[in-house]
Amino acid sequence: MSGSEGSAAVLTVDLDALAANYRLLAARLGAAACAPAVKADAYGLGVAAVAPALWRAGARSFFVATLDEGAALRDLLPDAVVHVLSGPVDEAPADYYGRRLRPVLNSLEQIDRWAADPRAAAAPAALHIDTGMHRLGLSPGETARLAAEPGRLARLTLSLAISHLACADQAGDAMNEAQRLAFLAALDRLGLGGERVCRSLAASSGIFLGPAYHFGMGRPGAALYGLAPLAGQPNPMAQVIRLQGKILQVREIDRGGTVGYGATHRSARQGRLATVGVGYADGLPRSLSNRGCAFFGGHRLPMVGRVSMDLVTLDISDLPAGQAHPGDLVDLIGPGNDVDAVATAAGTIGYELLTRLGRRYRRRYVGRGA
Ligand SMILES: *Cc1c(COP(=O)(O)O)cnc(C)c1O
């Protein structure tokens, strides 16, 4: 039970499991590059430990969301290829190429801003073609305009063309193939067909749609961090995180006694409770109130009452007497209760649960190079 003194929770990140997930995805991708998405502080796991571990596992190309994230990653990995998905909006192109960061250009406006700087035009950049998400990337209209004025694209030094799938976690969804064909058609229209530029369509889920979706590069995030890539199918990924909360107090509750704010749980019997020092300020969703659970020594302990800012209460009445003491750690996310399961119980997805992991946890990195 060591390692938690001074904090009420321990987040363990298994860098060996992360590396194993990288190798599994890279093997799936075959000849295509496996380029991790490490945006949002590596989905909340801590980019300072995660990115070097992925580099050691063989990753050479990465994706982040913002220029700030790109600058931080450049400091961590001096030799990595770093793509910034937001593209230059109001930043100077020099802020990118000065750090050898590659923007993902998402619009004609971004293309023209980038190309107007001769040093930017000579630096590698990626192009995002929207094939149905309607978030970022060239619209079909913009693609047509760009195709009609080939000089605009010819000024750039394109190293990569990407698009992003909307429904890849549903393997049978017709939108997957429609987007793949739209991507190919747009590339053709822009004179980028065949192998003229590296192409990338698949994130985690897309990698599992098969080789037709791999092109030259996959961009996995979620699956690297242990989330299931395909809805409703067994999860082939190793679990990377374990979240343990410390029991602060063990107490009795009388039949009819209530727990927490709003008195939303009323005990039907004489029982025992354990109060654990993790709450919604730590990213434990408040929607787990009276719905979530923790595990301790193989026993499932239901959350009773509301999750509050720093605390959650467990019903430990069914634990054998003498078990569970202040200072003991219970599993909030871990064996028997993985990230996807906790997210489902909370009415959200694993992505949101991971990226909201609290800053207050004692973070412990285990595995190679930790
Ligand atoms: C976040 C992101 C990824 C990674 O997606 P996962 O589903 O986490 O694998 C890949 N490509 C783009 C454009 C993204 O925004």
PDB file of all heavy atoms in Angstrom, residues 1 8-10 242-248 250 274-278 293-297 299 301 303 312-314 316 319 323-325 327-335 337:
ATOM      1  N   MET A   1       0.845  -1.204   0.000  1.00  0.00           N
ATOM      2  CA  MET A   1       0.000   0.000   0.000  1.00  0.00           C
ATOM      3  C   MET A   1       0.873   1.244   0.000  1.00  0.00           C
ATOM      4  O   MET A   1       0.461   2.309   0.411  1.00  0.00           O
ATOM      5  CB  MET A   1      -0.910   0.023   1.232  1.00  0.00           C
ATOM      6  CG  MET A   1      -1.892  -1.143   1.276  1.00  0.00           C
ATOM      7  SD  MET A   1      -2.971  -1.207  -0.164  1.00  0.00           S
ATOM      8  CE  MET A   1      -3.379  -2.941  -0.201  1.00  0.00           C
ATOM      9  N   ALA A   8      -4.579  11.154  -2.122  1.00  0.00           N
ATOM     10  CA  ALA A   8      -5.668  10.237  -1.814  1.00  0.00           C
ATOM     11  C   ALA A   8      -5.918   9.252  -2.939  1.00  0.00           C
ATOM     12  O   ALA A   8      -6.855   8.466  -2.879  1.00  0.00           O
ATOM     13  CB  ALA A   8      -6.938  11.027  -1.505  1.00  0.00           C
ATOM     14  N   ALA A   9      -5.067   9.297  -3.954  1.00  0.00           N
ATOM     15  CA  ALA A   9      -5.276   8.378  -5.070  1.00  0.00           C
ATOM     16  C   ALA A   9      -3.983   8.195  -5.846  1.00  0.00           C
ATOM     17  O   ALA A   9      -3.128   9.082  -5.881  1.00  0.00           O
ATOM     18  CB  ALA A   9      -6.361   8.910  -5.995  1.00  0.00           C
ATOM     19  N   VAL A  10      -3.867   7.029  -6.456  1.00  0.00           N
ATOM     20  CA  VAL A  10      -2.684   6.703  -7.249  1.00  0.00           C
ATOM     21  C   VAL A  10      -3.132   6.307  -8.637  1.00  0.00           C
ATOM     22  O   VAL A  10      -3.979   5.421  -8.801  1.00  0.00           O
ATOM     23  CB  VAL A  10      -1.890   5.527  -6.629  1.00  0.00           C
ATOM     24  CG1 VAL A  10      -0.632   5.259  -7.449  1.00  0.00           C
ATOM     25  CG2 VAL A  10      -1.549   5.805  -5.181  1.00  0.00           C
ATOM     26  N   ARG A 242      -4.402   2.157 -14.212  1.00  0.00           N
ATOM     27  CA  ARG A 242      -5.099   1.660 -13.037  1.00  0.00           C
ATOM     28  C   ARG A 242      -5.254   2.854 -12.092  1.00  0.00           C
ATOM     29  O   ARG A 242      -4.281   3.574 -11.848  1.00  0.00           O
ATOM     30  CB  ARG A 242      -4.254   0.566 -12.379  1.00  0.00           C
ATOM     31  CG  ARG A 242      -4.875  -0.004 -11.132  1.00  0.00           C
ATOM     32  CD  ARG A 242      -4.013  -1.134 -10.585  1.00  0.00           C
ATOM     33  NE  ARG A 242      -4.712  -1.844  -9.534  1.00  0.00           N
ATOM     34  CZ  ARG A 242      -4.193  -2.857  -8.846  1.00  0.00           C
ATOM     35  NH1 ARG A 242      -2.971  -3.271  -9.111  1.00  0.00           N
ATOM     36  NH2 ARG A 242      -4.892  -3.447  -7.905  1.00  0.00           N
ATOM     37  N   LEU A 243      -6.473   3.073 -11.640  1.00  0.00           N
ATOM     38  CA  LEU A 243      -6.728   4.184 -10.725  1.00  0.00           C
ATOM     39  C   LEU A 243      -7.182   3.629  -9.391  1.00  0.00           C
ATOM     40  O   LEU A 243      -8.202   2.942  -9.310  1.00  0.00           O
ATOM     41  CB  LEU A 243      -7.801   5.115 -11.292  1.00  0.00           C
ATOM     42  CG  LEU A 243      -8.233   6.257 -10.359  1.00  0.00           C
ATOM     43  CD1 LEU A 243      -7.063   7.176 -10.035  1.00  0.00           C
ATOM     44  CD2 LEU A 243      -9.373   7.051 -10.985  1.00  0.00           C
ATOM     45  N   GLN A 244      -6.391   3.911  -8.359  1.00  0.00           N
ATOM     46  CA  GLN A 244      -6.710   3.427  -7.021  1.00  0.00           C
ATOM     47  C   GLN A 244      -6.970   4.603  -6.093  1.00  0.00           C
ATOM     48  O   GLN A 244      -6.197   5.575  -6.085  1.00  0.00           O
ATOM     49  CB  GLN A 244      -5.552   2.595  -6.473  1.00  0.00           C
ATOM     50  CG  GLN A 244      -5.277   1.328  -7.280  1.00  0.00           C
ATOM     51  CD  GLN A 244      -3.933   0.762  -6.925  1.00  0.00           C
ATOM     52  OE1 GLN A 244      -2.897   1.322  -7.260  1.00  0.00           O
ATOM     53  NE2 GLN A 244      -3.947  -0.351  -6.204  1.00  0.00           N
ATOM     54  N   GLY A 245      -8.054   4.505  -5.350  1.00  0.00           N
ATOM     55  CA  GLY A 245      -8.392   5.544  -4.380  1.00  0.00           C
ATOM     56  C   GLY A 245      -8.155   5.027  -2.972  1.00  0.00           C
ATOM     57  O   GLY A 245      -8.333   3.839  -2.690  1.00  0.00           O
ATOM     58  N   LYS A 246      -7.761   5.951  -2.110  1.00  0.00           N
ATOM     59  CA  LYS A 246      -7.435   5.565  -0.736  1.00  0.00           C
ATOM     60  C   LYS A 246      -8.677   5.666   0.152  1.00  0.00           C
ATOM     61  O   LYS A 246      -9.417   6.647   0.085  1.00  0.00           O
ATOM     62  CB  LYS A 246      -6.349   6.490  -0.200  1.00  0.00           C
ATOM     63  CG  LYS A 246      -5.759   6.045   1.129  1.00  0.00           C
ATOM     64  CD  LYS A 246      -4.958   7.150   1.777  1.00  0.00           C
ATOM     65  CE  LYS A 246      -3.642   7.401   1.036  1.00  0.00           C
ATOM     66  NZ  LYS A 246      -2.833   8.429   1.731  1.00  0.00           N
ATOM     67  N   ILE A 247      -8.873   4.632   0.958  1.00  0.00           N
ATOM     68  CA  ILE A 247      -9.932   4.695   1.966  1.00  0.00           C
ATOM     69  C   ILE A 247      -9.477   5.658   3.066  1.00  0.00           C
ATOM     70  O   ILE A 247      -8.396   5.495   3.641  1.00  0.00           O
ATOM     71  CB  ILE A 247     -10.224   3.294   2.562  1.00  0.00           C
ATOM     72  CG1 ILE A 247     -10.757   2.359   1.471  1.00  0.00           C
ATOM     73  CG2 ILE A 247     -11.212   3.403   3.722  1.00  0.00           C
ATOM     74  CD1 ILE A 247     -11.000   0.931   1.954  1.00  0.00           C
ATOM     75  N   LEU A 248     -10.306   6.679   3.315  1.00  0.00           N
ATOM     76  CA  LEU A 248      -9.981   7.655   4.343  1.00  0.00           C
ATOM     77  C   LEU A 248     -10.620   7.281   5.676  1.00  0.00           C
ATOM     78  O   LEU A 248     -10.070   7.567   6.741  1.00  0.00           O
ATOM     79  CB  LEU A 248     -10.461   9.054   3.931  1.00  0.00           C
ATOM     80  CG  LEU A 248      -9.959   9.577   2.572  1.00  0.00           C
ATOM     81  CD1 LEU A 248     -10.525  10.967   2.314  1.00  0.00           C
ATOM     82  CD2 LEU A 248      -8.431   9.618   2.530  1.00  0.00           C
ATOM     83  N   VAL A 250     -13.592   4.297   7.549  1.00  0.00           N
ATOM     84  CA  VAL A 250     -14.561   3.196   7.488  1.00  0.00           C
ATOM     85  C   VAL A 250     -15.563   3.444   8.597  1.00  0.00           C
ATOM     86  O   VAL A 250     -15.178   3.836   9.700  1.00  0.00           O
ATOM     87  CB  VAL A 250     -13.851   1.835   7.682  1.00  0.00           C
ATOM     88  CG1 VAL A 250     -14.865   0.705   7.814  1.00  0.00           C
ATOM     89  CG2 VAL A 250     -12.900   1.560   6.519  1.00  0.00           C
ATOM     90  N   ALA A 274     -17.209   2.669   3.283  1.00  0.00           N
ATOM     91  CA  ALA A 274     -15.844   3.188   3.205  1.00  0.00           C
ATOM     92  C   ALA A 274     -15.887   4.475   2.399  1.00  0.00           C
ATOM     93  O   ALA A 274     -16.485   4.524   1.323  1.00  0.00           O
ATOM     94  CB  ALA A 274     -14.914   2.169   2.529  1.00  0.00           C
ATOM     95  N   THR A 275     -15.264   5.518   2.945  1.00  0.00           N
ATOM     96  CA  THR A 275     -15.208   6.803   2.245  1.00  0.00           C
ATOM     97  C   THR A 275     -13.838   6.918   1.582  1.00  0.00           C
ATOM     98  O   THR A 275     -12.804   6.778   2.247  1.00  0.00           O
ATOM     99  CB  THR A 275     -15.429   7.960   3.233  1.00  0.00           C
ATOM    100  OG1 THR A 275     -16.665   7.731   3.911  1.00  0.00           O
ATOM    101  CG2 THR A 275     -15.488   9.286   2.497  1.00  0.00           C
ATOM    102  N   VAL A 276     -13.843   7.119   0.265  1.00  0.00           N
ATOM    103  CA  VAL A 276     -12.619   7.123  -0.542  1.00  0.00           C
ATOM    104  C   VAL A 276     -12.352   8.550  -1.028  1.00  0.00           C
ATOM    105  O   VAL A 276     -13.284   9.261  -1.424  1.00  0.00           O
ATOM    106  CB  VAL A 276     -12.767   6.149  -1.732  1.00  0.00           C
ATOM    107  CG1 VAL A 276     -11.560   6.237  -2.672  1.00  0.00           C
ATOM    108  CG2 VAL A 276     -12.957   4.724  -1.230  1.00  0.00           C
ATOM    109  N   GLY A 277     -11.085   8.954  -1.010  1.00  0.00           N
ATOM    110  CA  GLY A 277     -10.725  10.346  -1.291  1.00  0.00           C
ATOM    111  C   GLY A 277     -10.557  10.688  -2.750  1.00  0.00           C
ATOM    112  O   GLY A 277      -9.529  11.244  -3.151  1.00  0.00           O
ATOM    113  N   VAL A 278     -11.550  10.374  -3.551  1.00  0.00           N
ATOM    114  CA  VAL A 278     -11.542  10.719  -4.979  1.00  0.00           C
ATOM    115  C   VAL A 278     -12.935  11.250  -5.326  1.00  0.00           C
ATOM    116  O   VAL A 278     -13.936  10.638  -4.917  1.00  0.00           O
ATOM    117  CB  VAL A 278     -11.222   9.493  -5.861  1.00  0.00           C
ATOM    118  CG1 VAL A 278     -11.298   9.862  -7.336  1.00  0.00           C
ATOM    119  CG2 VAL A 278      -9.844   8.935  -5.537  1.00  0.00           C
ATOM    120  N   CYS A 293     -18.953   1.551  -9.276  1.00  0.00           N
ATOM    121  CA  CYS A 293     -18.465   0.616  -8.274  1.00  0.00           C
ATOM    122  C   CYS A 293     -16.956   0.680  -8.212  1.00  0.00           C
ATOM    123  O   CYS A 293     -16.310   1.258  -9.082  1.00  0.00           O
ATOM    124  CB  CYS A 293     -18.924  -0.799  -8.597  1.00  0.00           C
ATOM    125  SG  CYS A 293     -18.161  -1.468 -10.076  1.00  0.00           S
ATOM    126  N   ALA A 294     -16.414   0.095  -7.162  1.00  0.00           N
ATOM    127  CA  ALA A 294     -14.971  -0.083  -7.038  1.00  0.00           C
ATOM    128  C   ALA A 294     -14.727  -1.560  -6.751  1.00  0.00           C
ATOM    129  O   ALA A 294     -15.675  -2.299  -6.451  1.00  0.00           O
ATOM    130  CB  ALA A 294     -14.433   0.788  -5.910  1.00  0.00           C
ATOM    131  N   PHE A 295     -13.474  -1.972  -6.884  1.00  0.00           N
ATOM    132  CA  PHE A 295     -13.126  -3.355  -6.566  1.00  0.00           C
ATOM    133  C   PHE A 295     -12.056  -3.389  -5.489  1.00  0.00           C
ATOM    134  O   PHE A 295     -11.157  -2.552  -5.465  1.00  0.00           O
ATOM    135  CB  PHE A 295     -12.648  -4.100  -7.826  1.00  0.00           C
ATOM    136  CG  PHE A 295     -13.793  -4.596  -8.681  1.00  0.00           C
ATOM    137  CD1 PHE A 295     -14.435  -3.733  -9.571  1.00  0.00           C
ATOM    138  CD2 PHE A 295     -14.248  -5.897  -8.572  1.00  0.00           C
ATOM    139  CE1 PHE A 295     -15.498  -4.177 -10.347  1.00  0.00           C
ATOM    140  CE2 PHE A 295     -15.313  -6.349  -9.335  1.00  0.00           C
ATOM    141  CZ  PHE A 295     -15.938  -5.490 -10.230  1.00  0.00           C
ATOM    142  N   PHE A 296     -12.195  -4.369  -4.601  1.00  0.00           N
ATOM    143  CA  PHE A 296     -11.216  -4.530  -3.516  1.00  0.00           C
ATOM    144  C   PHE A 296     -11.106  -6.017  -3.219  1.00  0.00           C
ATOM    145  O   PHE A 296     -12.110  -6.658  -2.877  1.00  0.00           O
ATOM    146  CB  PHE A 296     -11.680  -3.760  -2.271  1.00  0.00           C
ATOM    147  CG  PHE A 296     -10.723  -3.858  -1.116  1.00  0.00           C
ATOM    148  CD1 PHE A 296      -9.522  -3.149  -1.127  1.00  0.00           C
ATOM    149  CD2 PHE A 296     -11.019  -4.648  -0.013  1.00  0.00           C
ATOM    150  CE1 PHE A 296      -8.640  -3.227  -0.056  1.00  0.00           C
ATOM    151  CE2 PHE A 296     -10.135  -4.738   1.055  1.00  0.00           C
ATOM    152  CZ  PHE A 296      -8.948  -4.025   1.036  1.00  0.00           C
ATOM    153  N   GLY A 297      -9.937  -6.558  -3.415  1.00  0.00           N
ATOM    154  CA  GLY A 297      -9.715  -7.976  -3.143  1.00  0.00           C
ATOM    155  C   GLY A 297     -10.713  -8.879  -3.856  1.00  0.00           C
ATOM    156  O   GLY A 297     -11.167  -9.870  -3.291  1.00  0.00           O
ATOM    157  N   HIS A 299     -13.744  -8.217  -4.598  1.00  0.00           N
ATOM    158  CA  HIS A 299     -15.135  -7.899  -4.260  1.00  0.00           C
ATOM    159  C   HIS A 299     -15.570  -6.621  -4.967  1.00  0.00           C
ATOM    160  O   HIS A 299     -14.821  -5.653  -5.018  1.00  0.00           O
ATOM    161  CB  HIS A 299     -15.291  -7.705  -2.743  1.00  0.00           C
ATOM    162  CG  HIS A 299     -15.019  -8.945  -1.958  1.00  0.00           C
ATOM    163  ND1 HIS A 299     -15.991  -9.885  -1.697  1.00  0.00           N
ATOM    164  CD2 HIS A 299     -13.880  -9.410  -1.394  1.00  0.00           C
ATOM    165  CE1 HIS A 299     -15.457 -10.877  -0.994  1.00  0.00           C
ATOM    166  NE2 HIS A 299     -14.179 -10.612  -0.806  1.00  0.00           N
ATOM    167  N   LEU A 301     -17.676  -3.365  -4.926  1.00  0.00           N
ATOM    168  CA  LEU A 301     -18.211  -2.470  -3.897  1.00  0.00           C
ATOM    169  C   LEU A 301     -19.003  -1.361  -4.578  1.00  0.00           C
ATOM    170  O   LEU A 301     -18.415  -0.497  -5.241  1.00  0.00           O
ATOM    171  CB  LEU A 301     -17.064  -1.862  -3.075  1.00  0.00           C
ATOM    172  CG  LEU A 301     -16.079  -2.856  -2.453  1.00  0.00           C
ATOM    173  CD1 LEU A 301     -14.944  -2.100  -1.758  1.00  0.00           C
ATOM    174  CD2 LEU A 301     -16.795  -3.781  -1.474  1.00  0.00           C
ATOM    175  N   MET A 303     -20.884   2.075  -5.419  1.00  0.00           N
ATOM    176  CA  MET A 303     -20.871   3.470  -4.962  1.00  0.00           C
ATOM    177  C   MET A 303     -22.275   3.806  -4.482  1.00  0.00           C
ATOM    178  O   MET A 303     -23.255   3.558  -5.190  1.00  0.00           O
ATOM    179  CB  MET A 303     -20.477   4.409  -6.107  1.00  0.00           C
ATOM    180  CG  MET A 303     -19.029   4.236  -6.540  1.00  0.00           C
ATOM    181  SD  MET A 303     -18.589   5.360  -7.899  1.00  0.00           S
ATOM    182  CE  MET A 303     -16.902   4.813  -8.209  1.00  0.00           C
ATOM    183  N   VAL A 312     -15.963   9.853  -2.510  1.00  0.00           N
ATOM    184  CA  VAL A 312     -17.026   8.958  -2.955  1.00  0.00           C
ATOM    185  C   VAL A 312     -17.178   7.888  -1.870  1.00  0.00           C
ATOM    186  O   VAL A 312     -16.199   7.538  -1.186  1.00  0.00           O
ATOM    187  CB  VAL A 312     -16.713   8.354  -4.341  1.00  0.00           C
ATOM    188  CG1 VAL A 312     -15.440   7.515  -4.313  1.00  0.00           C
ATOM    189  CG2 VAL A 312     -17.884   7.534  -4.861  1.00  0.00           C
ATOM    190  N   THR A 313     -18.389   7.404  -1.690  1.00  0.00           N
ATOM    191  CA  THR A 313     -18.679   6.469  -0.606  1.00  0.00           C
ATOM    192  C   THR A 313     -19.047   5.104  -1.171  1.00  0.00           C
ATOM    193  O   THR A 313     -19.831   5.011  -2.124  1.00  0.00           O
ATOM    194  CB  THR A 313     -19.846   7.012   0.248  1.00  0.00           C
ATOM    195  OG1 THR A 313     -19.568   8.374   0.546  1.00  0.00           O
ATOM    196  CG2 THR A 313     -19.983   6.234   1.540  1.00  0.00           C
ATOM    197  N   LEU A 314     -18.458   4.055  -0.588  1.00  0.00           N
ATOM    198  CA  LEU A 314     -18.698   2.685  -1.050  1.00  0.00           C
ATOM    199  C   LEU A 314     -19.429   1.900   0.029  1.00  0.00           C
ATOM    200  O   LEU A 314     -19.144   2.053   1.218  1.00  0.00           O
ATOM    201  CB  LEU A 314     -17.364   1.985  -1.355  1.00  0.00           C
ATOM    202  CG  LEU A 314     -16.420   2.689  -2.321  1.00  0.00           C
ATOM    203  CD1 LEU A 314     -15.080   1.947  -2.388  1.00  0.00           C
ATOM    204  CD2 LEU A 314     -17.049   2.789  -3.712  1.00  0.00           C
ATOM    205  N   ILE A 316     -19.505  -1.314   1.820  1.00  0.00           N
ATOM    206  CA  ILE A 316     -18.593  -2.455   2.026  1.00  0.00           C
ATOM    207  C   ILE A 316     -19.216  -3.502   2.944  1.00  0.00           C
ATOM    208  O   ILE A 316     -18.508  -4.361   3.486  1.00  0.00           O
ATOM    209  CB  ILE A 316     -17.217  -2.007   2.577  1.00  0.00           C
ATOM    210  CG1 ILE A 316     -17.366  -1.305   3.935  1.00  0.00           C
ATOM    211  CG2 ILE A 316     -16.521  -1.079   1.584  1.00  0.00           C
ATOM    212  CD1 ILE A 316     -16.036  -1.148   4.670  1.00  0.00           C
ATOM    213  N   LEU A 319     -18.219  -7.118   2.440  1.00  0.00           N
ATOM    214  CA  LEU A 319     -16.828  -7.556   2.619  1.00  0.00           C
ATOM    215  C   LEU A 319     -16.732  -8.365   3.905  1.00  0.00           C
ATOM    216  O   LEU A 319     -17.361  -8.015   4.903  1.00  0.00           O
ATOM    217  CB  LEU A 319     -15.898  -6.346   2.760  1.00  0.00           C
ATOM    218  CG  LEU A 319     -15.336  -5.680   1.525  1.00  0.00           C
ATOM    219  CD1 LEU A 319     -14.327  -4.615   1.958  1.00  0.00           C
ATOM    220  CD2 LEU A 319     -14.679  -6.679   0.594  1.00  0.00           C
ATOM    221  N   GLN A 323     -11.854  -6.683   6.851  1.00  0.00           N
ATOM    222  CA  GLN A 323     -11.199  -6.204   5.630  1.00  0.00           C
ATOM    223  C   GLN A 323     -11.530  -4.730   5.402  1.00  0.00           C
ATOM    224  O   GLN A 323     -12.569  -4.261   5.840  1.00  0.00           O
ATOM    225  CB  GLN A 323     -11.681  -7.013   4.413  1.00  0.00           C
ATOM    226  CG  GLN A 323     -11.033  -8.380   4.321  1.00  0.00           C
ATOM    227  CD  GLN A 323     -11.217  -8.987   2.937  1.00  0.00           C
ATOM    228  OE1 GLN A 323     -11.320  -8.277   1.956  1.00  0.00           O
ATOM    229  NE2 GLN A 323     -11.266 -10.291   2.882  1.00  0.00           N
ATOM    230  N   ALA A 324     -10.652  -4.041   4.683  1.00  0.00           N
ATOM    231  CA  ALA A 324     -10.800  -2.632   4.308  1.00  0.00           C
ATOM    232  C   ALA A 324     -10.581  -1.709   5.503  1.00  0.00           C
ATOM    233  O   ALA A 324     -11.409  -1.621   6.416  1.00  0.00           O
ATOM    234  CB  ALA A 324     -12.166  -2.356   3.667  1.00  0.00           C
ATOM    235  N   HIS A 325      -9.446  -1.050   5.481  1.00  0.00           N
ATOM    236  CA  HIS A 325      -9.063  -0.139   6.567  1.00  0.00           C
ATOM    237  C   HIS A 325      -8.631   1.192   5.973  1.00  0.00           C
ATOM    238  O   HIS A 325      -8.220   1.238   4.803  1.00  0.00           O
ATOM    239  CB  HIS A 325      -7.878  -0.725   7.353  1.00  0.00           C
ATOM    240  CG  HIS A 325      -8.177  -2.062   7.938  1.00  0.00           C
ATOM    241  ND1 HIS A 325      -8.899  -2.226   9.095  1.00  0.00           N
ATOM    242  CD2 HIS A 325      -7.864  -3.318   7.503  1.00  0.00           C
ATOM    243  CE1 HIS A 325      -9.013  -3.519   9.370  1.00  0.00           C
ATOM    244  NE2 HIS A 325      -8.394  -4.207   8.409  1.00  0.00           N
ATOM    245  N   GLY A 327      -6.408   3.876   4.612  1.00  0.00           N
ATOM    246  CA  GLY A 327      -5.082   3.706   4.015  1.00  0.00           C
ATOM    247  C   GLY A 327      -5.064   2.647   2.935  1.00  0.00           C
ATOM    248  O   GLY A 327      -4.189   2.668   2.064  1.00  0.00           O
ATOM    249  N   ASP A 328      -6.024   1.724   2.967  1.00  0.00           N
ATOM    250  CA  ASP A 328      -6.090   0.720   1.892  1.00  0.00           C
ATOM    251  C   ASP A 328      -6.521   1.379   0.583  1.00  0.00           C
ATOM    252  O   ASP A 328      -7.268   2.366   0.584  1.00  0.00           O
ATOM    253  CB  ASP A 328      -7.108  -0.375   2.235  1.00  0.00           C
ATOM    254  CG  ASP A 328      -6.608  -1.315   3.317  1.00  0.00           C
ATOM    255  OD1 ASP A 328      -5.410  -1.216   3.686  1.00  0.00           O
ATOM    256  OD2 ASP A 328      -7.414  -2.139   3.798  1.00  0.00           O
ATOM    257  N   LEU A 329      -6.062   0.794  -0.514  1.00  0.00           N
ATOM    258  CA  LEU A 329      -6.423   1.329  -1.833  1.00  0.00           C
ATOM    259  C   LEU A 329      -7.460   0.432  -2.493  1.00  0.00           C
ATOM    260  O   LEU A 329      -7.313  -0.791  -2.507  1.00  0.00           O
ATOM    261  CB  LEU A 329      -5.173   1.412  -2.732  1.00  0.00           C
ATOM    262  CG  LEU A 329      -4.077   2.374  -2.263  1.00  0.00           C
ATOM    263  CD1 LEU A 329      -2.848   2.263  -3.168  1.00  0.00           C
ATOM    264  CD2 LEU A 329      -4.590   3.819  -2.243  1.00  0.00           C
ATOM    265  N   VAL A 330      -8.506   1.047  -3.031  1.00  0.00           N
ATOM    266  CA  VAL A 330      -9.513   0.303  -3.801  1.00  0.00           C
ATOM    267  C   VAL A 330      -9.343   0.674  -5.270  1.00  0.00           C
ATOM    268  O   VAL A 330      -8.887   1.769  -5.606  1.00  0.00           O
ATOM    269  CB  VAL A 330     -10.951   0.629  -3.340  1.00  0.00           C
ATOM    270  CG1 VAL A 330     -11.135   0.296  -1.871  1.00  0.00           C
ATOM    271  CG2 VAL A 330     -11.302   2.084  -3.601  1.00  0.00           C
ATOM    272  N   ASP A 331      -9.718  -0.254  -6.148  1.00  0.00           N
ATOM    273  CA  ASP A 331      -9.605   0.000  -7.587  1.00  0.00           C
ATOM    274  C   ASP A 331     -10.856   0.705  -8.095  1.00  0.00           C
ATOM    275  O   ASP A 331     -11.956   0.146  -8.053  1.00  0.00           O
ATOM    276  CB  ASP A 331      -9.444  -1.322  -8.353  1.00  0.00           C
ATOM    277  CG  ASP A 331      -7.994  -1.756  -8.418  1.00  0.00           C
ATOM    278  OD1 ASP A 331      -7.153  -0.924  -8.804  1.00  0.00           O
ATOM    279  OD2 ASP A 331      -7.708  -2.913  -8.065  1.00  0.00           O
ATOM    280  N   LEU A 332     -10.654   1.930  -8.601  1.00  0.00           N
ATOM    281  CA  LEU A 332     -11.763   2.649  -9.249  1.00  0.00           C
ATOM    282  C   LEU A 332     -11.765   2.361 -10.748  1.00  0.00           C
ATOM    283  O   LEU A 332     -12.806   2.288 -11.386  1.00  0.00           O
ATOM    284  CB  LEU A 332     -11.643   4.143  -8.980  1.00  0.00           C
ATOM    285  CG  LEU A 332     -11.774   4.509  -7.489  1.00  0.00           C
ATOM    286  CD1 LEU A 332     -11.308   5.928  -7.232  1.00  0.00           C
ATOM    287  CD2 LEU A 332     -13.212   4.314  -7.017  1.00  0.00           C
ATOM    288  N   ILE A 333     -10.568   2.265 -11.314  1.00  0.00           N
ATOM    289  CA  ILE A 333     -10.402   1.779 -12.689  1.00  0.00           C
ATOM    290  C   ILE A 333      -9.302   0.742 -12.616  1.00  0.00           C
ATOM    291  O   ILE A 333      -8.219   1.023 -12.091  1.00  0.00           O
ATOM    292  CB  ILE A 333      -9.975   2.903 -13.660  1.00  0.00           C
ATOM    293  CG1 ILE A 333     -11.012   4.031 -13.700  1.00  0.00           C
ATOM    294  CG2 ILE A 333      -9.742   2.336 -15.069  1.00  0.00           C
ATOM    295  CD1 ILE A 333     -10.563   5.250 -14.510  1.00  0.00           C
ATOM    296  N   GLY A 334      -9.572  -0.454 -13.107  1.00  0.00           N
ATOM    297  CA  GLY A 334      -8.546  -1.485 -13.009  1.00  0.00           C
ATOM    298  C   GLY A 334      -9.116  -2.819 -13.393  1.00  0.00           C
ATOM    299  O   GLY A 334     -10.161  -2.891 -14.052  1.00  0.00           O
ATOM    300  N   PRO A 335      -8.463  -3.891 -12.941  1.00  0.00           N
ATOM    301  CA  PRO A 335      -8.922  -5.231 -13.300  1.00  0.00           C
ATOM    302  C   PRO A 335     -10.396  -5.408 -12.936  1.00  0.00           C
ATOM    303  O   PRO A 335     -10.796  -5.058 -11.822  1.00  0.00           O
ATOM    304  CB  PRO A 335      -8.033  -6.138 -12.447  1.00  0.00           C
ATOM    305  CG  PRO A 335      -6.828  -5.325 -12.111  1.00  0.00           C
ATOM    306  CD  PRO A 335      -7.287  -3.909 -12.058  1.00  0.00           C
ATOM    307  N   ASN A 337     -12.811  -3.767 -14.063  1.00  0.00           N
ATOM    308  CA  ASN A 337     -13.525  -2.492 -14.157  1.00  0.00           C
ATOM    309  C   ASN A 337     -12.697  -1.565 -15.049  1.00  0.00           C
ATOM    310  O   ASN A 337     -12.133  -0.580 -14.583  1.00  0.00           O
ATOM    311  CB  ASN A 337     -13.658  -1.909 -12.742  1.00  0.00           C
ATOM    312  CG  ASN A 337     -14.858  -1.021 -12.581  1.00  0.00           C
ATOM    313  OD1 ASN A 337     -15.797  -1.074 -13.367  1.00  0.00           O
ATOM    314  ND2 ASN A 337     -14.823  -0.181 -11.558  1.00  0.00           N
TER     315      ASN A 337
END
